[in-house]
């Protein structure tokens, strides 16, 4: 299915590092209305990896803004927030990692600065969701683009 094919593209990108090729391969997936699935795969694949791949994933996400509309990024990050508790089972620092991806997406104009105003309140009212929102605010308010990039590494 789409998820498995997207994972293959992302894994290949992490090994070869060819951004333009990865973007072309994503286009070939013809995800259409399911762009959010591909974006979510990019983030999920990166969370399981080292800082190098997380940075590469952020660069890929920024490049994919030319493939998928902002609504796909919005939907993907909402779904990532919804799955945060599950992600945290395998990745204890999941809130911090997701915060860095969201902050970077905001800095790169992939997500709107008002993203959290549009997020269903129950997702960020407490616990890990609240930690993600606080982390994003801290990065965006106190960091320059360089700080955000260093944070994803």
């Amino acid at each position: 299915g789409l998820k498995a094919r997207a994972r293959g593209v992302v894994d290949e990108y992490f090994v070869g590092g060819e951004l333009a090729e990865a973007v072309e391969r994503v286009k070939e997936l013809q995800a259409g209305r399911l762009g959010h699935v591909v974006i979510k795969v990019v983030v999920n694949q990166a969370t399981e990896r080292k800082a190098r791949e997380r940075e590469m994933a952020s660069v890929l996400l920024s490049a994919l803004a030319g493939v998928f509309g902002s609504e796909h990024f919005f939907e993907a990050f909402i779904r990532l927030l919804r799955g945060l508790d599950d992600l945290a089972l395998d990745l204890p620092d999941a809130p911090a990692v997701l915060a860095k991806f969201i902050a970077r997406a905001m800095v790169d104009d992939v997500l709107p600065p008002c993203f959290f105003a549009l997020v269903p309140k129950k997702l960020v009212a407490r616990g890990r969701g609240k930690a993600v929102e606080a982390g994003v605010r801290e990065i965006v308010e106190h960091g320059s683009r360089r700080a955000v990039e260093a944070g994803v590494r």
Side-chain angles (χ1 to χ4, degrees):
L2 178 62
K3 265 189 200 171
R5 293 192 342 260
R7 276 191 208 105
V9 171
V10 174
D11 285 341
E12 196 175 291
Y13 168 62
F14 286 161
V15 172
E18 291 291 325
L19 180 64
E21 187 180 324
V23 171
E24 278 310 306
R25 295 275 317 279
V26 167
K27 286 180 185 169
E28 289 166 11
L29 294 175
Q30 297 183 328
R33 292 177 326 207
L34 297 176
H36 64 273
V37 172
V38 177
I39 294 161
K40 203 174 143 198
V41 165
V42 173
V43 175
N44 278 331
Q45 293 287 94
T47 58
E48 301 163 5
R49 306 292 187 95
K50 301 273 186 262
R52 174 184 167 272
E53 286 88 358
R54 290 178 185 177
E55 171 60 21
M56 289 175 74
S58 284
V59 171
L60 178 57
L61 289 175
S62 192
L64 291 179
V67 179
F68 301 120
S70 57
E71 69 279 4
H72 294 284
F73 286 89
F74 182 81
E75 182 64 29
F77 281 103
I78 291 285
R79 288 174 184 232
L80 285 160
L81 280 167
R82 274 200 195 109
L84 190 56
D85 287 341
D86 290 337
L87 183 60
L89 295 174
D90 298 323
L91 185 75
D93 64 340
V97 172
L98 189 54
K100 288 170 188 167
F101 274 108
I102 292 173
R104 176 69 180 266
M106 287 175 168
V107 167
D108 289 348
D109 293 323
V110 172
L111 283 178
C114 64
F115 173 70
F116 284 103
L118 305 170
V119 169
K121 291 291 164 247
K122 67 178 192 243
L123 290 180
V124 291
R126 60 183 158 292
R128 293 185 180 101
K130 192 172 186 174
V132 170
E133 185 176 12
V136 170
R137 280 189 202 288
E138 172 136 345
I139 294 167
V140 171
E141 288 170 12
H142 298 63
S144 63
R145 180 188 180 104
R146 193 175 316 123
V148 172
E149 287 172 355
V152 174
R153 286 198 185 100

